[in-house]
């Protein structure tokens, strides 16, 4: 057991309080708000919200046409069509994908299926200093003989070639060119 005088005890008590205050200030400095103005700004924002709620609750019944009128504007249409992005007059290469004669024969009756529709997928093709549009046309075939006999046609589509990115019109060549320009040549996007 250690005995200390009353004066030493009071001095240790004051030193302990001072250290606790310093610890509290350090915590406040590290984890507390960085400015008292932030607190004032937050209160200003909250008061604006209360004013808007009151204005909405009490002001909508008395609103006039001048208070509600909004200036008209036109928005730019966003489109996923490659033709909206490339300049007019860009050369187009059409590649048709058809089933061979053997695949166009009906499995049920053996008759030759007729072409009834097509799907067009457009992709932007590029070569350094030159680009063009490639249209892949995939045809759909139906057996008219089965449709005439049973009322239900037998359909067959040309299998599609996989795209690089689903829903994108960029071809592998275009993406490779852009990546080379961006990451190898350090050109801005």
């Amino acid at each position: 057991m250690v005995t200390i005088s009353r004066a030493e005890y009071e001095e240790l008590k004051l030193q302990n309080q001072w250290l606790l205050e310093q610890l509290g200030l350090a915590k406040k400095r590290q984890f507390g708000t960085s400015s008292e103005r932030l607190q004032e700004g937050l209160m200003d924002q909250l008061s604006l919200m209360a004013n808007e709620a009151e204005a909405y609750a009490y002001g909508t019944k008395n609103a006039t046409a001048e208070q509600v009128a909004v200036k008209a504007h036109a928005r730019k249409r966003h489109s996923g069509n490659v033709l909206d992005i490339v300049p007019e007059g860009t050369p187009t290469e059409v590649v048709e994908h058809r089933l061979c004669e053997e695949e166009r024969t009906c499995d049920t009756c053996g008759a030759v299926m007729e072409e009834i529709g097509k799907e067009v997928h457009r992709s932007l093709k590029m070569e350094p200093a030159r680009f063009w549009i490639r249209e892949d046309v995939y045809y759909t075939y139906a057996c008219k003989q089965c449709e005439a006999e049973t009322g239900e046609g037998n359909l067959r589509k040309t299998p599609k070639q996989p795209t690089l990115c689903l829903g994108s019109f960029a071809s592998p060549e275009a993406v490779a060119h852009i990546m080379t320009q961006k990451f190898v040549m350090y050109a801005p996007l």
Side-chain angles (χ1 to χ4, degrees):
M1 182 170 201
V2 177
T3 356
I4 57 172
S5 69
R6 186 80 161 152
E8 289 176 332
Y9 175 75
E10 292 297 325
E11 186 181 329
L12 285 175
K13 187 175 175 185
L14 289 173
Q15 188 179 11
N16 189 20
Q17 283 179 337
W18 183 81
L19 288 172
L20 287 174
E21 286 177 8
Q22 292 299 316
L23 181 64
L25 287 172
K27 281 185 179 180
K28 186 175 182 182
R29 217 176 294 125
Q30 186 174 5
F31 301 112
T33 56
S34 59
S35 172
E36 290 181 11
R37 287 187 181 182
L38 178 68
Q39 204 66 8
E40 292 171 8
L42 182 62
M43 292 309 290
D44 289 342
Q45 291 295 321
L46 288 175
S47 69
L48 287 176
M49 219 166 87
N51 291 343
E52 286 176 3
E54 289 172 2
Y56 180 75
Y58 300 113
T60 54
K61 295 176 185 171
N62 301 327
T64 64
E66 293 134 17
Q67 291 172 329
V68 182
V70 179
K71 181 181 170 188
H73 66 281
R75 285 197 177 156
K76 188 176 178 183
R77 187 177 148 257
H78 296 287
S79 174
N81 191 351
V82 69
L83 297 177
D84 292 343
I85 297 169
V86 296
E88 195 172 316
T90 303
T92 301
E93 171 191 6
V94 178
V95 179
E96 295 184 343
H97 303 274
R98 297 180 184 268
L99 292 175
C100 65
E101 291 293 326
E102 298 164 359
E103 293 176 331
R104 287 176 46 187
T105 56
C106 181
D107 295 336
T108 310
C109 66
V112 177
M113 295 179 159
E114 293 181 26
E115 197 174 285
I116 60 166
K118 63 182 178 181
E119 292 179 36
V120 178
H121 175 265
R122 291 182 177 95
S123 59
L124 181 65
K125 302 293 277 186
M126 291 180 70
E127 282 181 5
R130 179 173 104 89
F131 65 94
W132 67 96
I133 297 172
R134 174 179 163 164
E135 288 184 354
D136 292 306
V137 182
Y138 299 96
Y139 289 93
T140 305
Y141 299 92
C143 180
K144 296 294 183 179
Q145 188 173 343
C146 284
E147 189 175 350
E149 291 175 4
T150 62
E152 292 184 20
N154 194 2
L155 299 177
R156 187 168 297 151
K157 287 185 173 185
T158 309
K160 291 183 181 180
Q161 294 177 350
T163 59
L164 181 67
C165 298
L166 200 61
S168 172
F169 56 84
S171 66
E173 295 88 356
V175 172
H177 175 73
I178 291 169
M179 289 178 70
T180 302
Q181 291 298 312
K182 174 76 178 147
F183 297 109
V184 177
M185 305 302 285
Y186 302 108
L189 202 58

